[in-house]
Amino acid sequence: MEYRSQNRRMFWRMVWRLLGARRGRLLMILLALGAGAAVTSALLNLQVDAKRRLTSEFRTFGANMVVEPKSDHSSGALAGTLLESAYESVPVAPASAGGKSALLVLVGQVRSTAGVTQAVIVGLRTHGSAGSDDPTVSDGGAGLPASPQRETTCSIGSKAAAALRVAKGDELSLEQGTRQLRCEITSVDPPGGEYDSDVLVPLAAAQELSGLSGRISSVRVSYPGTPSQVNAFIATLVQRLPDANVRGLRQFTEAEGKIYDRVSGVLTATVAIVLILTGLCVMAVMTNVAMERRNDVGLMKAIGGASRRVLRLFLAEAAVVGFIGGILGAGAGLVISIWLGKAVFGVAARPRLIVYPVSVLLTIIVAIAGAYPLRRLASIRPASVFRGEA
Amino acid sequence: MFLRLVADSFRRRPRRQLLTGAALALGMAVATAALSVSLDVDDKLGREFRSLGANLVITPQADSLPLEIGGVDYRSANAGAHLPESDLPKLKTIFWHNNVVGFSPMLDVPVQAWSPAFQRFSNPDAVEATTLTGTWFDQPVALPDGSTFETGIEKTNPWWHVDGAWFADSAAECVVGKNFAKRNSVKLGDTVNVSAGDHGHWNALRITGVLDSGGPEDDGIVAPLAIAQALSGKAGQYRRAYVSALTKPEDDFARRDPRSMNSDELERWSCSPYVSSIAYSIRQAIPGSDVRVIRRVAEGEGRVLTRVRMLLWLVTLAALLTAALAVGASSAASVMERRTEIGLMKALGAGSGAVGFLLAAEQLLLAVVAGSVGYGLGMFLARVVGERIFGAAPQPSLLVVVLILTLAAAVTIMGSAIPLHRASRYEPAPILRGE
């Protein structure tokens, strides 16, 4: 028993000595292994994170699904509208990522001091970020009715502003039938938007103007996610809103799906190539280092070391080096991936704990695999080593 | 003698040099693959983004405000201005004509429609009011330089799917929206009669397909532009045209007003394929037009593209860095183990400079050979990746070759610099004694 524990102590002492024998060489191996581990952990972390971020990046395209009344072509004042409760029952996507907006669209007379024209008036109520394109209309709190003076704020598309020759701060008078509403222009949207030729008012004001209180024309929903997540969300909406027609905006859902596939494909492929070749590079370095151990092996065998024990010694050394290099490299990788995430998406990549044990393990495997050619050292004959034969 | 020494070193220890070379080749292969993919990805993704469809829309400058709700324009048919169809080929004569992937003019006409196949045919309400959109499906456009360019709705609205076939641009055919088809239970091969106001005159159109657009067109009829022009009496005219163009993501410079730039800036601005500068040159080419960027498409595209490009460049940088480190470590190791040799050379009277030069030459030779092998391997990998993901291999570029060979040389020299520097201070005697 005592013999065995002594034996083990001796074993580790020799491993320790082997490591410390040439510090320059140790540093070199650690550098190669550490670099490999750093890249492995940084890329793995970033890859998981980037795909998720990319889907939320798609929200710049704005809404990707629409809830509409079922098109039945029936006539009547309420035709083509939904109850506002449909808007309430759309669940809000993960905070800060998605959004929804309720719209009530009507054609009315718009009068400014400089002119009068027919224009589309859009009542808008939004929640969350529905997309970079959706203008903001301050509605003074959700659903607040227009003030008693029948005054409200509005924003106007650039094309409509040009037609009416108005600018920010001017007053408009909106009319439909006998109902009338005054509004002050708080902003003019830059050209190219979806509401280029429209006047935007808070939803409550549009409802009052059209006499359709509590009704909306459609709900637009922006939901970030992979194509399958988006489809699942559409399915939930269909269930929740049996009276309405829910559809994905194909222009965006389809393109988003395609682009997501491509980008994640490129990313996965690049990361895989980098990882495989990094592993091979590290292995080549390790092998190179292992080859110069001929003298050590010759000596050990000369004083009676069995081939298997000598081999075990070197494998233990490789595992220790791999472990240290892996830990150091994975730590560096953590910092790198945080920095990369910040540089690309403006938000630090969230470290995924699973990545670190995985990359340390991979490094140890690579280190041991790199020591594999040592097997050939088993066939070394001590005498020829000492005679200095190559 | 010098060359003999170098050649001898390779001949004597082929395995050792092979291993260092392998590390170098693999490292350079990573670098090549990553570089080629990222250099190419902009172009490939730009094309991929065209599946979002048009990013520019052309409307007449003198137009009145559209009163469009749910895809139905409430203006009377004669209100507003139109643009002549004959100006459209000019789109392919602008400076950025190669970036214009496709365009399609559109003309909406409110029509009455009925069909013998309508189930409600027996009832007096048989005529349905709907919108007929005239456009091109696959129109050969004769360009001023004599060639033809085929374009149409499939290029600008790639998300429109037709069950059946698209109409021929010169035939009395149409596709109907899927809601329209369902409501009236018409199917492929049926005939639908349309008329714009004048009930005495009906145009019979054969249905060649059912359109699923996911938009308001699902409730209407889409027909060749010529038919819409005949129905509305606007021969040779269109109301709006969609243009799909390959663009460069906009930065702050791109968003500036071209009128506020000096001539140098204006030249730089108009020589970059920003979506706004393409819009600007189209406006110059087509008189009386107002060209607008479809901000939702253009901005989203720009943002995602910028992010992806940055991500890939960073991954590439990481790949280059590891490759450099691994290769550097490997060549450092190969120099370090040659202490005895260096000692012997110095004992025989070689100066530090001569020894360093010899070893550096050896490493450089290795770098060039292994770098080329690595380049070949990397290009093969990039090809595999490119074909798998985009269906096309990246173009080999001279820049990558030069960059890779330079990198290989720089990395090996840098890797061996520190041990060489140390070696130059070796005293031959202790080394030869084996200390």
Side-chain angles (χ1 to χ4, degrees):
Chain A
M1 200 62 198
E2 196 176 319
Y3 170 74
R4 282 193 90 167
S5 85
Q6 224 171 23
N7 212 355
R8 195 175 306 146
R9 257 215 322 273
M10 187 63 195
F11 179 80
W12 286 112
R13 213 174 126 193
M14 280 169 77
V15 168
W16 189 242
R17 277 295 164 86
L18 275 173
L19 283 174
R22 278 201 218 156
R23 260 176 295 162
R25 194 180 56 87
L26 181 68
L27 203 72
M28 212 66 69
I29 303 175
L30 279 185
L31 196 66
L33 284 174
V39 171
T40 310
S41 68
L43 287 188
L44 282 180
N45 199 19
L46 193 69
Q47 202 227 1
V48 176
D49 203 66
K51 287 192 181 176
R52 213 187 49 224
R53 293 242 185 270
L54 199 63
T55 58
S56 60
E57 214 51 52
F58 281 137
R59 71 162 183 266
T60 40
F61 288 127
N64 51 6
M65 51 192 93
V66 176
V67 183
E68 286 174 333
K70 289 217 158 112
S71 58
D72 49 4
H73 268 242
S74 66
S75 49
L78 297 183
T81 58
L82 287 166
L83 277 172
E84 201 172 339
S85 62
Y87 170 75
E88 314 283 355
S89 54
V90 172
V92 180
S96 83
K100 56 176 181 174
S101 56
L103 280 81
L104 178 63
V105 186
L106 57 133
V107 172
Q109 200 84 7
V110 182
R111 198 184 298 277
S112 72
T113 49
V116 59
T117 182
Q118 283 227 309
V120 175
I121 300 167
V122 182
L124 199 63
R125 176 181 167 192
T126 57
H127 178 98
S129 68
S132 65
D133 190 44
D134 286 349
T136 46
V137 175
S138 65
D139 56 358
L144 197 80
S147 54
Q149 297 86 18
R150 295 176 168 264
E151 289 227 354
T152 180
T153 56
C154 56
S155 84
I156 187 166
S158 62
K159 221 169 168 175
L164 288 161
R165 291 193 287 280
V166 288
K168 189 180 166 184
D170 288 353
E171 282 225 329
L172 284 180
S173 153
L174 313 174
E175 295 158 24
Q176 194 196 40
T178 55
R179 286 176 291 265
Q180 200 187 2
L181 196 71
R182 298 196 64 75
C183 77
E184 193 198 327
I185 300 172
T186 50
S187 70
V188 176
D189 287 333
E194 218 185 324
Y195 305 107
D196 241 6
S197 39
D198 304 345
V199 178
L200 293 149
V201 294
L203 181 63
Q207 285 171 341
E208 198 182 305
L209 187 63
S210 59
L212 295 168
S213 66
R215 310 291 295 192
I216 52 178
S217 332
S218 64
V219 183
R220 294 181 173 214
V221 187
S222 149
Y223 184 84
T226 59
S228 56
Q229 285 171 330
V230 170
N231 285 336
F233 189 75
I234 291 180
T236 358
L237 281 189
V238 170
Q239 263 185 0
R240 281 202 189 198
L241 301 163
D243 299 331
N245 188 11
V246 184
R247 60 182 173 84
L249 284 176
R250 279 258 299 282
Q251 180 182 7
F252 296 98
T253 50
E254 233 172 60
E256 280 169 20
K258 247 182 175 167
I259 292 161
Y260 175 81
D261 284 351
R262 297 287 196 248
V263 171
S264 68
V266 169
L267 205 61
T268 311
T270 324
V271 169
I273 289 179
V274 170
L275 290 190
I276 291 172
L277 294 193
T278 306
L280 287 176
C281 267
V282 170
M283 252 165 82
V285 174
M286 286 296 288
T287 310
N288 208 346
V289 166
M291 296 301 285
E292 64 181 69
R293 288 308 188 56
R294 294 169 50 88
N295 286 339
D296 297 359
V297 175
L299 181 62
M300 282 178 197
K301 284 178 116 175
I303 59 173
S307 291
R308 287 186 54 192
R309 292 186 69 190
V310 174
L311 202 62
R312 229 185 312 154
L313 203 60
F314 282 112
L315 289 183
E317 189 203 353
V320 168
V321 174
F323 183 70
I324 299 173
I327 295 269
L328 290 180
L334 168 82
V335 179
I336 294 175
S337 73
I338 288 177
W339 173 75
L340 281 181
K342 228 175 209 158
V344 179
F345 294 107
V347 187
R350 198 182 309 153
R352 304 204 154 229
L353 291 179
I354 182 69
V355 165
Y356 299 101
V358 167
S359 49
V360 171
L361 200 71
L362 278 178
T363 316
I364 294 178
I365 290 174
V366 166
I368 291 180
Y372 182 77
L374 281 170
R375 220 173 45 124
R376 290 192 8 199
L377 296 183
S379 62
I380 284 177
R381 288 191 313 180
S384 62
V385 171
F386 288 127
R387 275 206 307 273
E389 286 169 10
Chain B
M1 185 64 200
F2 180 76
L3 288 180
R4 224 178 103 192
L5 273 175
V6 173
D8 205 44
S9 145
F10 279 89
R11 212 169 317 125
R12 250 186 322 115
R13 309 179 317 149
R15 181 170 296 128
R16 198 63 59 86
Q17 299 287 22
L18 206 71
L19 276 173
T20 315
L24 192 60
L26 288 173
M28 289 308 119
V30 187
T32 311
L35 256 180
S36 321
V37 170
S38 359
L39 274 178
D40 204 52
V41 82
D42 251 22
D43 196 38
K44 291 276 163 59
L45 271 184
R47 278 190 188 274
E48 217 52 57
F49 270 102
R50 292 291 99 249
S51 60
L52 277 171
N55 43 8
L56 292 161
V57 57
I58 306 174
T59 50
Q61 208 170 21
D63 207 1
S64 57
L65 288 184
L67 301 175
E68 206 178 283
I69 297 181
V72 180
D73 200 329
Y74 287 93
R75 281 180 295 188
S76 67
N78 292 319
H82 293 78
L83 284 168
E85 194 185 339
S86 53
D87 276 348
L88 277 175
K90 288 185 185 164
L91 280 175
K92 290 296 278 183
T93 63
I94 61 167
F95 183 66
W96 294 113
H97 59 95
N98 282 330
N99 288 47
V100 174
V101 195
F103 50 89
S104 59
M106 287 205 184
L107 180 65
D108 291 339
V109 194
V111 292
Q112 310 284 315
W114 67 274
S115 164
F118 279 15
Q119 275 193 344
R120 307 170 292 162
F121 188 47
S122 54
N123 102 31
D125 246 354
V127 172
E128 178 170 331
T130 183
T131 308
L132 182 139
T133 306
T135 187
W136 290 345
F137 159 58
D138 193 10
Q139 173 92 356
V141 180
L143 301 183
D145 65 0
S147 60
T148 55
F149 175 68
E150 293 203 352
T151 185
I153 195 78
E154 288 227 299
K155 298 264 175 58
T156 54
N157 299 42
W159 67 96
W160 285 19
H161 296 306
V162 163
D163 186 13
W166 276 98
F167 49 76
D169 283 306
S170 51
E173 293 175 339
C174 68
V175 296
V176 294
K178 63 169 186 193
N179 294 344
F180 181 91
K182 205 158 119 196
R183 209 162 47 232
N184 300 309
S185 33
V186 288
K187 54 188 184 309
L188 297 187
D190 287 349
T191 316
V192 59
N193 296 294
V194 293
S195 154
D198 172 15
H199 283 255
H201 182 259
W202 293 93
N203 285 46
L205 303 174
R206 203 172 65 83
I207 299 172
T208 57
V210 175
L211 171 72
D212 181 3
S213 74
E217 295 81 7
D218 282 353
D219 286 304
I221 301 172
V222 181
L225 182 64
I227 289 172
Q229 289 168 340
L231 279 169
S232 61
K234 300 274 178 208
Q237 290 181 309
Y238 64 92
R239 183 123 217 184
R240 59 184 192 281
Y242 291 100
V243 182
S244 173
L246 296 172
T247 61
K248 181 179 169 183
E250 296 207 307
D251 44 31
D252 285 339
F253 176 63
R255 288 194 195 92
R256 281 179 51 189
D257 186 354
R259 275 169 297 192
S260 71
M261 294 179 191
N262 60 36
S263 62
D264 270 3
E265 284 174 326
L266 186 65
E267 193 173 320
R268 187 153 72 86
W269 182 77
S270 49
C271 289
S272 314
Y274 295 129
V275 69
S276 47
S277 61
I278 295 178
Y280 185 76
S281 57
I282 293 178
R283 199 172 306 139
Q284 310 264 309
I286 300 184
S289 69
D290 184 20
V291 184
R292 269 156 203 273
V293 177
I294 301 177
R295 208 157 21 116
R296 198 178 166 188
V297 173
E299 232 169 61
E301 177 182 338
R303 249 181 93 149
V304 175
L305 203 57
T306 314
R307 298 276 198 240
V308 170
R309 194 171 43 177
M310 215 149 114
L311 190 68
L312 273 178
W313 274 116
L314 284 173
V315 172
T316 309
L317 200 72
L320 291 182
L321 220 70
T322 5
L325 270 176
V327 170
S330 154
S331 54
S334 85
V335 170
M336 265 161 61
E337 70 187 47
R338 298 174 66 177
R339 287 162 50 102
T340 338
E341 208 181 321
I342 295 171
L344 182 64
M345 280 193 249
K346 287 181 116 178
L348 288 174
S352 298
V355 172
F357 192 57
L358 178 72
L359 290 182
E362 242 184 81
Q363 295 288 324
L364 267 185
L365 188 65
L366 197 65
V368 171
V369 174
S372 312
V373 173
Y375 174 78
L377 191 64
M379 273 324 277
F380 171 72
L381 278 171
R383 245 189 127 79
V384 172
V385 170
E387 258 161 23
R388 257 286 167 76
I389 295 166
F390 293 110
Q395 290 294 318
S397 92
L398 192 67
L399 179 74
V400 177
V401 184
V402 174
L403 214 66
I404 289 300
L405 289 183
T406 320
L407 189 75
V411 160
T412 42
I413 293 291
M414 254 152 47
S416 33
I418 299 170
L420 274 180
H421 179 67
R422 279 240 209 101
S424 68
R425 282 179 310 175
Y426 287 158
E427 287 298 322
I431 293 176
L432 289 180
R433 273 208 308 273
E435 279 171 16

